[in-house]
Amino acid sequence: MDWGLENRLNRILKPDTGRTVMLAVDHGYFLGPTSGLEDPGRTVEPLLPYADSLMLTRGVLRQCIPASSDIPVVLRVSGGTSILSELSGEGLTVATDDAIRLNASAITLSVFVGGEGERETLLNLAKLCDVGQKYGIPVLAVTAVGKDMVRDARYLGLACRICAEIGAHFVKTYYCDGFEEVIANTPIPVVIAGGKKIGEREAIELAHNAIKAGASGVDMGRNIFQSDCPVGMIRAVRSVVHENATVNDAFEIYRQEKDARG
Ligand code: 5RP
């Protein structure tokens, strides 16, 4: 790995723990208006001190995040479809020079293994990995799961392994039973998405189980910004990721923060 690429990756996966708490707020790129992200700048502002990076689109970055912020940016560079269409037909939406101009610490796209857009999205990943290698920018592959796919270790392991083989520098997927198997077969760091909003304790447990199974962190969105106490949630998840906190201790962090804020 070259110095620039390694340096950028170290801005996201913190060298002291090898782990990361990524805050994902890119949902609007295919969902449009998303509860909790009506005003993304306002949503993320109190969370930034506890996030290791921010995953978002260039539109939200330019309009809502002050350029004075020093949060590392994981820039979503795929899209072109919406919940009203066939999601797996994503293409690349950002030119390399704009990603560089926006000072992206990493670039990211979704791949749809087993979906109609499988070939196209995997070939886009390959293109992006070439860009990443050329300019020293790490590539995060996101394993999107189609409606009819089963989120099990066999499927997610297949998707993650393919991303690693093509050259992604890290991969984001979903937690599942037997997650150790996914980790064992993926020779790059794996982070997990949070998925749809669930109970706070359940979401903390999800992060805890993933870390225990060998995940390198989380790239969590809705379970943080749709929580009744987003700061409490990100602090709780952070304690699990970087301090190996137990579920009870982490939940207590969330609870106390919520109480303190009334
Ligand atoms: C969509 C994404 C989102 O960033 C992702 O799903 C993370 O957010 P959440 O924790 O809300 O699932 O990559 O493809």
Side-chain angles (χ1 to χ4, degrees):
M1 219 184 273
D2 74 280
W3 197 93
L5 201 145
E6 205 168 324
N7 179 259
R8 287 189 178 93
L9 201 52
N10 279 329
R11 297 196 69 210
I12 300 165
L13 287 153
K14 294 299 174 190
D16 46 346
T17 60
R19 295 180 188 159
T20 187
V21 175
M22 301 171 63
L23 177 62
V25 293
D26 60 328
H27 305 63
Y29 91 95
F30 74 101
L31 286 175
T34 303
S35 168
L37 292 180
E38 294 81 0
D39 180 347
R42 213 166 135 188
T43 300
V44 304
E45 198 260 336
L47 304 175
L48 291 182
Y50 310 103
D52 295 321
S53 71
L54 193 55
M55 176 169 168
L56 76 182
T57 59
R58 66 174 162 186
V60 166
L61 178 63
R62 284 200 309 243
Q63 298 307 317
C64 310
I65 308 298
S68 54
S69 167
D70 64 357
I71 187 89
V73 166
V74 178
L75 189 68
R76 175 166 282 280
V77 298
S78 73
T81 60
S82 78
I83 35 164
L84 301 181
S85 64
E86 168 53 42
L87 279 178
S88 78
E90 280 190 13
L92 295 177
T93 52
V94 179
T96 305
D97 55 2
D98 206 34
I100 294 169
R101 194 177 296 123
L102 290 164
N103 198 26
S105 291
I107 43 182
T108 184
L109 87 171
S110 294
V111 298
F112 294 78
V113 172
E116 273 179 40
E118 176 183 87
R119 182 171 187 278
E120 198 61 26
T121 55
L122 287 175
L123 291 177
N124 282 337
L125 170 60
K127 275 186 213 149
L128 217 55
C129 291
D130 284 336
V131 165
Q133 288 301 122
K134 185 168 178 187
Y135 296 102
I137 307 176
V139 174
L140 170 68
V142 177
T143 68
V145 183
K147 276 188 223 102
D148 22 295
M149 304 289 171
V150 189
R151 290 185 192 188
D152 61 11
R154 194 153 170 246
Y155 171 74
L156 297 172
L158 169 81
C160 287
R161 180 58 183 249
I162 290 173
C163 293
E165 298 272 352
I166 289 177
H169 302 95
F170 56 139
V171 62
K172 160 163 137 176
T173 195
Y174 292 94
Y175 178 76
C176 63
D177 286 342
F179 200 63
E180 292 82 358
E181 203 187 312
V182 176
I183 298 288
N185 285 291
T186 307
I188 51 175
V190 179
V191 297
I192 61 144
K196 284 193 182 139
K197 174 78 177 73
I198 49 180
E200 274 72 12
R201 192 183 174 91
E202 226 183 313
I204 291 167
E205 223 162 64
L206 178 81
H208 186 266
N209 289 342
I211 293 295
K212 206 167 102 197
S216 297
V218 301
D219 184 13
M220 213 176 241
R222 289 162 289 182
N223 278 291
I224 291 173
F225 63 73
Q226 291 178 350
S227 167
D228 55 8
C229 182
V231 170
M233 263 314 270
I234 197 167
R235 286 191 54 212
V237 169
R238 191 170 181 85
S239 72
V240 166
V241 171
H242 286 303
E243 290 155 34
N244 294 314
T246 62
V247 173
N248 283 342
D249 288 351
F251 186 74
E252 194 52 24
I253 291 174
Y254 154 76
R255 212 190 49 75
Q256 281 183 13
E257 185 75 46
K258 189 178 156 185
D259 284 355
R261 286 168 185 263

